[in-house]
Amino acid sequence: MVKMRQTQFDESVKRSLYNAAHKLELYETMRYLEQDAIASEKKAAKNQQNVGVVTHQYDIKSKDGIISSFEMRTIVMPRHPQNRRTIPEASRSLQDIIRSRYAHQRSLMDEVIYKILYTASDQPLEKRINFVSLDRDLRAELLNNGIDIPYHFIVSSSDGKEIYRCSDYEPEGEEDAYTQILFGNDAPSKMGVLKIHFPTMNSYIFSSVRFMIPSLSFTVVLCITFMFTIYIIFRQKKVAELKNDFINNMTHEFKTPISTISLAAQMLNDASVAKSPQMLQHVTGIINDETKRLRFQVEKVLQISLFDQQKATMKTRELDVNELVNGVVNTFALKVEKNGGTIISQLNATDAIVLADEMHITNVVFNLMDNAVKYKRTDEALRLTIRTWNEHGKLALSIQDNGIGIKKENLKKVFDRFYRVHTGNLHDVKGFGLGLAYVKKVIQDHHGTIRAESELGVGTKFIIVLPLLNSK
């Protein structure tokens, strides 16, 4: 719309300039006609003493009896005799007079045109142009074309020499000036150039589309609302999918220990089991282990819920991470060796004292090592490497495995709640998808950072950085 409005404005201005320039040429022609007429009257007055005027009265009677009369004046020389003429003679005399007058006027026009062509263009532009009339014509033509905003103009020669500038001239907007050639039929060196510009042209053009601003604003708000609604819908859909996955995983995780406990309870009812102390101890041990496993799963869900509600409290104290990791490695070594793997411990940190909650940090290390066992490769023995070192005044801890690895598109999501890397239709890896979310939350609450590096088919490495106790 703005582009269309600009085009209309340009056409209106050009049309106004053309009409004003055309009127300028008409005024010049009229001025020479008036000068020639005055000269002719003076010449006629000079010769009037040698000319006589005779008035003839003619009466004409029509078929209906109506009589009409008219007078005809004939210019004659005094020496000619005055004879009374008949109607046919008078008619022929009138035609001759009209013919001679037409020929005389035509000769006058030819003479005026000749003077304009060969005399007018020789005069300077400031004498050929009435700048007051030009200003008046410009204003009138612009108003006729619907333009009623302020304008400023200058008139210059074809070689760029300025001849006239309007009294209230302002340079604002002159970079968008419109140009019109004056006296375009003259020789190029005799032509003039009219330049006009409008300081408020942009506001004038945009004022025509201001009414669209409310509708445009409403459209923007509507689009934002629509996009936000779509975002909420997809987010709710994702949450619903996560909830369903969580319920399915939780059901599966709880179903196994409950089934085991139920089976063990049934065995206790068997008289043969009750008679064998060794078998009774084995069955009660199974019930105890599965009860602990079930309690651990419930506590994991409760812990992440407490962290979300900011109700979890940290019981921090001075803690040697090297000693903590060494204790977890000793406890976890049996499980790794049972799966045919090995643990390599490289505790190289010279300063490993941090202010931390022992239970939560222990759970973090345990969860990361447990993931390495869960996602090990079947075609290669598990190799788990744990390292500590100091960098930039902080303590760094890494846990690296040679497992199945994680795809790049899944790597940035592993710390999301309920997210679990897909392993196909097999449910050989247990869990709720809360372990890494819990790990990240604990590390953040200890003012640390955690990141994951992984390559599919090669393995995964988790790197934790914690502030030292004596660091600034």
Side-chain angles (χ1 to χ4, degrees), residues 24-25 27-29 31-33 35 112 114-131 155-158 161 163 182-183 186-193:
L24 194 62
E25 295 178 352
Y27 291 155
E28 187 176 53
T29 303
R31 185 167 64 252
Y32 272 88
L33 285 174
Q35 293 175 0
V112 170
Y114 178 84
K115 288 182 179 180
I116 293 175
L117 290 176
Y118 293 97
T119 305
S121 60
D122 291 334
Q123 296 183 358
L125 288 174
E126 55 267 25
K127 292 185 177 181
R128 299 178 66 184
I129 302 174
N130 186 330
F131 297 106
V155 178
S156 59
S157 60
S158 57
K161 180 181 178 182
I163 297 174
L182 302 178
F183 307 111
D186 291 356
S189 60
K190 302 296 183 179
M191 294 179 184
V193 179

CSV table of all heavy atoms in Angstrom, one decimal, residues 24-25 27-29 31-33 35 112 114-131 155-158 161 163 182-183 186-193:
chain,number,residue,atom,x,y,z
A,24,LEU,N,3.2,28.0,-18.3
A,24,LEU,CA,4.3,29.0,-18.5
A,24,LEU,C,4.5,29.4,-19.9
A,24,LEU,O,4.7,30.5,-20.3
A,24,LEU,CB,5.6,28.5,-17.8
A,24,LEU,CG,6.7,29.4,-17.6
A,24,LEU,CD1,6.3,30.5,-16.6
A,24,LEU,CD2,7.9,28.7,-17.0
A,25,GLU,N,4.5,28.4,-20.8
A,25,GLU,CA,4.6,28.6,-22.2
A,25,GLU,C,3.4,29.4,-22.8
A,25,GLU,O,3.6,30.2,-23.7
A,25,GLU,CB,4.8,27.3,-22.9
A,25,GLU,CG,6.1,26.6,-22.5
A,25,GLU,CD,6.3,25.2,-23.2
A,25,GLU,OE1,5.3,24.8,-23.9
A,25,GLU,OE2,7.4,24.6,-23.1
A,27,TYR,N,1.5,31.5,-21.1
A,27,TYR,CA,1.6,32.9,-20.7
A,27,TYR,C,2.6,33.7,-21.6
A,27,TYR,O,2.4,34.8,-22.0
A,27,TYR,CB,2.1,33.0,-19.3
A,27,TYR,CG,1.1,32.5,-18.2
A,27,TYR,CD1,1.6,32.0,-17.0
A,27,TYR,CD2,-0.2,32.5,-18.5
A,27,TYR,CE1,0.6,31.5,-16.1
A,27,TYR,CE2,-1.1,32.0,-17.6
A,27,TYR,CZ,-0.7,31.5,-16.4
A,27,TYR,OH,-1.6,31.1,-15.5
A,28,GLU,N,3.7,33.0,-22.0
A,28,GLU,CA,4.6,33.7,-22.8
A,28,GLU,C,4.0,34.0,-24.2
A,28,GLU,O,4.2,35.1,-24.8
A,28,GLU,CB,5.9,32.9,-23.0
A,28,GLU,CG,7.0,33.6,-23.8
A,28,GLU,CD,8.3,32.8,-23.9
A,28,GLU,OE1,8.2,31.6,-24.3
A,28,GLU,OE2,9.3,33.3,-23.5
A,29,THR,N,3.3,33.1,-24.7
A,29,THR,CA,2.6,33.3,-26.0
A,29,THR,C,1.6,34.4,-25.9
A,29,THR,O,1.5,35.3,-26.8
A,29,THR,CB,1.9,32.0,-26.5
A,29,THR,OG1,2.9,30.9,-26.6
A,29,THR,CG2,1.3,32.1,-27.9
A,31,ARG,N,1.6,36.8,-23.8
A,31,ARG,CA,2.2,38.1,-23.6
A,31,ARG,C,2.7,38.7,-25.0
A,31,ARG,O,2.5,39.9,-25.2
A,31,ARG,CB,3.4,37.9,-22.7
A,31,ARG,CG,4.1,39.2,-22.3
A,31,ARG,CD,5.1,39.1,-21.2
A,31,ARG,NE,6.2,38.2,-21.5
A,31,ARG,CZ,6.3,36.9,-21.0
A,31,ARG,NH1,5.4,36.4,-20.2
A,31,ARG,NH2,7.3,36.2,-21.4
A,32,TYR,N,3.2,37.8,-25.9
A,32,TYR,CA,3.6,38.3,-27.2
A,32,TYR,C,2.4,38.7,-28.0
A,32,TYR,O,2.5,39.7,-28.8
A,32,TYR,CB,4.5,37.3,-27.9
A,32,TYR,CG,5.9,37.4,-27.5
A,32,TYR,CD1,6.5,36.7,-26.4
A,32,TYR,CD2,6.8,38.2,-28.3
A,32,TYR,CE1,7.8,36.9,-26.1
A,32,TYR,CE2,8.1,38.3,-28.0
A,32,TYR,CZ,8.6,37.6,-26.9
A,32,TYR,OH,9.9,37.8,-26.6
A,33,LEU,N,1.3,38.0,-27.9
A,33,LEU,CA,0.1,38.4,-28.6
A,33,LEU,C,-0.4,39.7,-28.2
A,33,LEU,O,-0.8,40.6,-29.0
A,33,LEU,CB,-1.0,37.3,-28.4
A,33,LEU,CG,-0.8,36.0,-29.2
A,33,LEU,CD1,-1.9,35.0,-28.8
A,33,LEU,CD2,-0.9,36.3,-30.7
A,35,GLN,N,1.4,42.1,-26.8
A,35,GLN,CA,2.3,43.1,-27.3
A,35,GLN,C,2.1,43.4,-28.8
A,35,GLN,O,2.1,44.6,-29.2
A,35,GLN,CB,3.7,42.7,-27.1
A,35,GLN,CG,4.2,42.6,-25.6
A,35,GLN,CD,5.5,42.0,-25.5
A,35,GLN,OE1,6.2,41.7,-26.5
A,35,GLN,NE2,6.0,41.9,-24.2
A,112,VAL,N,3.8,36.3,-34.5
A,112,VAL,CA,4.1,36.1,-33.1
A,112,VAL,C,4.9,34.8,-32.9
A,112,VAL,O,5.8,34.8,-32.1
A,112,VAL,CB,2.7,36.1,-32.3
A,112,VAL,CG1,3.0,35.6,-30.9
A,112,VAL,CG2,2.1,37.4,-32.3
A,114,TYR,N,6.9,33.4,-34.9
A,114,TYR,CA,8.2,33.7,-35.4
A,114,TYR,C,9.0,34.4,-34.4
A,114,TYR,O,10.2,34.1,-34.1
A,114,TYR,CB,8.1,34.5,-36.7
A,114,TYR,CG,9.5,34.8,-37.3
A,114,TYR,CD1,10.2,33.9,-38.1
A,114,TYR,CD2,10.1,36.1,-37.0
A,114,TYR,CE1,11.4,34.3,-38.6
A,114,TYR,CE2,11.3,36.4,-37.5
A,114,TYR,CZ,12.0,35.5,-38.3
A,114,TYR,OH,13.2,35.8,-38.8
A,115,LYS,N,8.4,35.4,-33.7
A,115,LYS,CA,9.1,36.2,-32.7
A,115,LYS,C,9.4,35.3,-31.5
A,115,LYS,O,10.5,35.4,-30.9
A,115,LYS,CB,8.2,37.3,-32.2
A,115,LYS,CG,8.1,38.5,-33.3
A,115,LYS,CD,7.3,39.6,-32.7
A,115,LYS,CE,7.2,40.8,-33.7
A,115,LYS,NZ,6.4,41.9,-33.2
A,116,ILE,N,8.5,34.4,-31.1
A,116,ILE,CA,8.7,33.5,-30.0
A,116,ILE,C,9.9,32.6,-30.3
A,116,ILE,O,10.8,32.3,-29.4
A,116,ILE,CB,7.5,32.7,-29.6
A,116,ILE,CG1,6.4,33.6,-29.1
A,116,ILE,CG2,7.8,31.6,-28.6
A,116,ILE,CD1,5.0,32.9,-28.9
A,117,LEU,N,9.9,32.0,-31.5
A,117,LEU,CA,11.0,31.1,-31.8
A,117,LEU,C,12.3,31.7,-31.9
A,117,LEU,O,13.3,31.2,-31.5
A,117,LEU,CB,10.6,30.4,-33.2
A,117,LEU,CG,9.5,29.4,-33.1
A,117,LEU,CD1,9.2,28.9,-34.5
A,117,LEU,CD2,9.8,28.3,-32.2
A,118,TYR,N,12.4,32.9,-32.5
A,118,TYR,CA,13.7,33.5,-32.8
A,118,TYR,C,14.0,34.7,-31.9
A,118,TYR,O,15.1,35.2,-31.9
A,118,TYR,CB,13.7,34.0,-34.2
A,118,TYR,CG,13.7,32.9,-35.2
A,118,TYR,CD1,12.5,32.4,-35.8
A,118,TYR,CD2,14.9,32.2,-35.5
A,118,TYR,CE1,12.4,31.4,-36.6
A,118,TYR,CE2,14.8,31.1,-36.4
A,118,TYR,CZ,13.6,30.7,-37.0
A,118,TYR,OH,13.6,29.6,-37.8
A,119,THR,N,13.1,35.1,-31.0
A,119,THR,CA,13.3,36.3,-30.2
A,119,THR,C,13.2,35.9,-28.7
A,119,THR,O,14.1,36.3,-27.9
A,119,THR,CB,12.4,37.4,-30.5
A,119,THR,OG1,12.5,37.7,-31.9
A,119,THR,CG2,12.7,38.7,-29.7
A,120,ALA,N,12.1,35.2,-28.3
A,120,ALA,CA,11.9,35.0,-26.9
A,120,ALA,C,13.0,34.1,-26.3
A,120,ALA,O,13.4,34.4,-25.2
A,120,ALA,CB,10.5,34.3,-26.7
A,121,SER,N,13.5,33.1,-27.0
A,121,SER,CA,14.5,32.2,-26.4
A,121,SER,C,15.8,32.9,-26.2
A,121,SER,O,16.7,32.4,-25.5
A,121,SER,CB,14.7,31.0,-27.2
A,121,SER,OG,15.1,31.3,-28.5
A,122,ASP,N,16.0,34.0,-26.8
A,122,ASP,CA,17.2,34.8,-26.6
A,122,ASP,C,17.3,35.5,-25.3
A,122,ASP,O,18.3,36.0,-24.9
A,122,ASP,CB,17.5,35.7,-27.8
A,122,ASP,CG,17.8,35.0,-29.1
A,122,ASP,OD1,18.3,33.8,-29.0
A,122,ASP,OD2,17.5,35.5,-30.1
A,123,GLN,N,16.1,35.7,-24.7
A,123,GLN,CA,16.0,36.4,-23.4
A,123,GLN,C,16.4,35.5,-22.3
A,123,GLN,O,16.2,34.3,-22.3
A,123,GLN,CB,14.6,37.0,-23.2
A,123,GLN,CG,14.2,38.0,-24.2
A,123,GLN,CD,12.9,38.6,-23.8
A,123,GLN,OE1,12.2,38.2,-22.9
A,123,GLN,NE2,12.4,39.6,-24.6
A,124,PRO,N,17.0,36.0,-21.2
A,124,PRO,CA,17.3,35.2,-20.0
A,124,PRO,C,16.1,34.7,-19.3
A,124,PRO,O,15.0,35.3,-19.5
A,124,PRO,CB,18.1,36.1,-19.1
A,124,PRO,CG,17.7,37.5,-19.5
A,124,PRO,CD,17.4,37.4,-21.0
A,125,LEU,N,16.2,33.6,-18.6
A,125,LEU,CA,15.0,32.9,-18.0
A,125,LEU,C,14.4,33.8,-17.0
A,125,LEU,O,13.1,33.8,-16.8
A,125,LEU,CB,15.5,31.6,-17.3
A,125,LEU,CG,15.8,30.4,-18.3
A,125,LEU,CD1,16.4,29.3,-17.5
A,125,LEU,CD2,14.6,30.0,-19.1
A,126,GLU,N,15.1,34.6,-16.3
A,126,GLU,CA,14.5,35.5,-15.2
A,126,GLU,C,13.5,36.5,-15.8
A,126,GLU,O,12.7,37.0,-15.2
A,126,GLU,CB,15.5,36.1,-14.4
A,126,GLU,CG,16.6,36.9,-15.2
A,126,GLU,CD,17.8,36.1,-15.5
A,126,GLU,OE1,17.7,34.9,-15.6
A,126,GLU,OE2,18.9,36.7,-15.7
A,127,LYS,N,13.7,36.8,-17.2
A,127,LYS,CA,12.8,37.7,-17.8
A,127,LYS,C,11.6,37.0,-18.5
A,127,LYS,O,10.6,37.6,-18.8
A,127,LYS,CB,13.5,38.6,-18.9
A,127,LYS,CG,14.5,39.6,-18.2
A,127,LYS,CD,15.2,40.4,-19.3
A,127,LYS,CE,16.1,41.5,-18.7
A,127,LYS,NZ,16.7,42.4,-19.7
A,128,ARG,N,11.8,35.7,-18.8
A,128,ARG,CA,10.8,35.0,-19.5
A,128,ARG,C,9.8,34.4,-18.5
A,128,ARG,O,8.7,34.0,-18.8
A,128,ARG,CB,11.4,33.8,-20.3
A,128,ARG,CG,12.4,34.3,-21.3
A,128,ARG,CD,13.0,33.1,-22.1
A,128,ARG,NE,12.0,32.3,-22.8
A,128,ARG,CZ,12.2,31.2,-23.5
A,128,ARG,NH1,13.4,30.7,-23.5
A,128,ARG,NH2,11.3,30.6,-24.1
A,129,ILE,N,10.2,34.2,-17.2
A,129,ILE,CA,9.3,33.6,-16.2
A,129,ILE,C,8.9,34.6,-15.1
A,129,ILE,O,9.7,35.3,-14.5
A,129,ILE,CB,10.1,32.4,-15.5
A,129,ILE,CG1,10.6,31.4,-16.5
A,129,ILE,CG2,9.3,31.7,-14.4
A,129,ILE,CD1,11.5,30.3,-15.9
A,130,ASN,N,7.6,34.6,-14.9
A,130,ASN,CA,7.0,35.3,-13.7
A,130,ASN,C,6.9,34.3,-12.6
A,130,ASN,O,6.1,33.4,-12.5
A,130,ASN,CB,5.6,35.8,-14.1
A,130,ASN,CG,5.1,36.7,-13.0
A,130,ASN,OD1,5.3,36.5,-11.8
A,130,ASN,ND2,4.2,37.7,-13.4
A,131,PHE,N,7.9,34.4,-11.6
A,131,PHE,CA,8.0,33.4,-10.6
A,131,PHE,C,6.8,33.4,-9.6
A,131,PHE,O,6.5,32.4,-9.1
A,131,PHE,CB,9.3,33.6,-9.8
A,131,PHE,CG,10.5,33.4,-10.7
A,131,PHE,CD1,11.3,34.5,-11.1
A,131,PHE,CD2,10.9,32.2,-11.1
A,131,PHE,CE1,12.4,34.4,-11.9
A,131,PHE,CE2,12.0,32.0,-11.9
A,131,PHE,CZ,12.8,33.1,-12.3
A,155,VAL,N,14.5,27.3,-9.5
A,155,VAL,CA,14.6,27.3,-10.9
A,155,VAL,C,16.1,27.5,-11.3
A,155,VAL,O,16.7,28.5,-10.8
A,155,VAL,CB,13.7,28.3,-11.6
A,155,VAL,CG1,13.9,28.3,-13.1
A,155,VAL,CG2,12.2,28.1,-11.2
A,156,SER,N,16.6,26.7,-12.2
A,156,SER,CA,18.0,26.8,-12.6
A,156,SER,C,18.1,26.7,-14.1
A,156,SER,O,17.2,26.2,-14.7
A,156,SER,CB,18.9,25.8,-11.9
A,156,SER,OG,18.4,24.5,-12.2
A,157,SER,N,19.2,27.1,-14.6
A,157,SER,CA,19.5,27.0,-16.1
A,157,SER,C,19.9,25.6,-16.4
A,157,SER,O,20.1,24.8,-15.4
A,157,SER,CB,20.5,28.0,-16.5
A,157,SER,OG,21.7,27.8,-15.8
A,158,SER,N,20.0,25.3,-17.6
A,158,SER,CA,20.4,23.9,-18.0
A,158,SER,C,21.8,23.5,-17.6
A,158,SER,O,22.1,22.3,-17.4
A,158,SER,CB,20.3,23.7,-19.5
A,158,SER,OG,21.1,24.7,-20.2
A,161,LYS,N,23.1,26.5,-13.1
A,161,LYS,CA,23.2,27.8,-12.4
A,161,LYS,C,21.8,28.2,-11.8
A,161,LYS,O,20.8,28.2,-12.5
A,161,LYS,CB,23.7,28.9,-13.4
A,161,LYS,CG,23.8,30.3,-12.7
A,161,LYS,CD,24.2,31.3,-13.7
A,161,LYS,CE,24.3,32.7,-13.1
A,161,LYS,NZ,24.7,33.7,-14.1
A,163,ILE,N,18.8,30.3,-10.6
A,163,ILE,CA,18.2,31.5,-11.1
A,163,ILE,C,17.2,32.1,-10.0
A,163,ILE,O,17.2,33.3,-9.7
A,163,ILE,CB,17.5,31.4,-12.4
A,163,ILE,CG1,18.6,31.0,-13.5
A,163,ILE,CG2,16.8,32.7,-12.8
A,163,ILE,CD1,18.0,30.7,-14.8
A,182,LEU,N,11.7,23.3,-18.3
A,182,LEU,CA,10.9,24.4,-18.7
A,182,LEU,C,11.3,24.8,-20.2
A,182,LEU,O,12.5,24.8,-20.5
A,182,LEU,CB,11.1,25.6,-17.8
A,182,LEU,CG,10.8,25.3,-16.3
A,182,LEU,CD1,11.1,26.6,-15.5
A,182,LEU,CD2,9.3,24.9,-16.2
A,183,PHE,N,10.4,25.2,-21.0
A,183,PHE,CA,10.6,25.5,-22.4
A,183,PHE,C,11.4,24.4,-23.1
A,183,PHE,O,12.4,24.6,-23.6
A,183,PHE,CB,11.4,26.8,-22.5
A,183,PHE,CG,10.8,28.0,-21.7
A,183,PHE,CD1,11.4,28.5,-20.6
A,183,PHE,CD2,9.5,28.5,-22.1
A,183,PHE,CE1,10.8,29.5,-19.9
A,183,PHE,CE2,9.0,29.6,-21.4
A,183,PHE,CZ,9.6,30.1,-20.3
A,186,ASP,N,12.8,24.7,-26.8
A,186,ASP,CA,13.9,25.5,-27.1
A,186,ASP,C,15.2,24.7,-27.2
A,186,ASP,O,15.2,23.5,-27.0
A,186,ASP,CB,14.1,26.6,-26.0
A,186,ASP,CG,13.0,27.6,-26.0
A,186,ASP,OD1,12.1,27.5,-26.9
A,186,ASP,OD2,13.0,28.5,-25.1
A,187,ALA,N,16.2,25.4,-27.6
A,187,ALA,CA,17.5,24.7,-27.7
A,187,ALA,C,18.0,24.3,-26.3
A,187,ALA,O,17.6,24.9,-25.3
A,187,ALA,CB,18.6,25.7,-28.3
A,188,PRO,N,18.7,23.2,-26.2
A,188,PRO,CA,19.1,22.7,-24.8
A,188,PRO,C,19.8,23.7,-24.0
A,188,PRO,O,19.5,23.7,-22.8
A,188,PRO,CB,20.0,21.5,-25.2
A,188,PRO,CG,19.6,21.0,-26.5
A,188,PRO,CD,19.2,22.3,-27.2
A,189,SER,N,20.5,24.6,-24.6
A,189,SER,CA,21.2,25.6,-23.8
A,189,SER,C,20.3,26.7,-23.3
A,189,SER,O,20.6,27.5,-22.4
A,189,SER,CB,22.4,26.2,-24.6
A,189,SER,OG,21.8,26.8,-25.8
A,190,LYS,N,19.1,26.8,-23.8
A,190,LYS,CA,18.1,27.8,-23.5
A,190,LYS,C,17.0,27.3,-22.5
A,190,LYS,O,16.2,28.1,-22.0
A,190,LYS,CB,17.4,28.4,-24.7
A,190,LYS,CG,18.4,29.0,-25.7
A,190,LYS,CD,19.1,30.2,-25.2
A,190,LYS,CE,20.0,30.9,-26.2
A,190,LYS,NZ,20.7,32.1,-25.7
A,191,MET,N,17.0,26.0,-22.3
A,191,MET,CA,16.0,25.4,-21.4
A,191,MET,C,16.3,25.8,-19.9
A,191,MET,O,17.4,26.1,-19.5
A,191,MET,CB,16.0,23.9,-21.5
A,191,MET,CG,15.6,23.4,-22.9
A,191,MET,SD,15.6,21.6,-23.0
A,191,MET,CE,15.2,21.3,-24.7
A,192,GLY,N,15.2,25.7,-19.2
A,192,GLY,CA,15.3,25.9,-17.7
A,192,GLY,C,14.9,24.6,-17.0
A,192,GLY,O,14.3,23.6,-17.6
A,193,VAL,N,15.3,24.5,-15.7
A,193,VAL,CA,15.0,23.3,-14.9
A,193,VAL,C,14.3,23.7,-13.6
A,193,VAL,O,14.8,24.6,-12.9
A,193,VAL,CB,16.3,22.5,-14.6
A,193,VAL,CG1,16.0,21.3,-13.7
A,193,VAL,CG2,17.0,22.1,-15.9
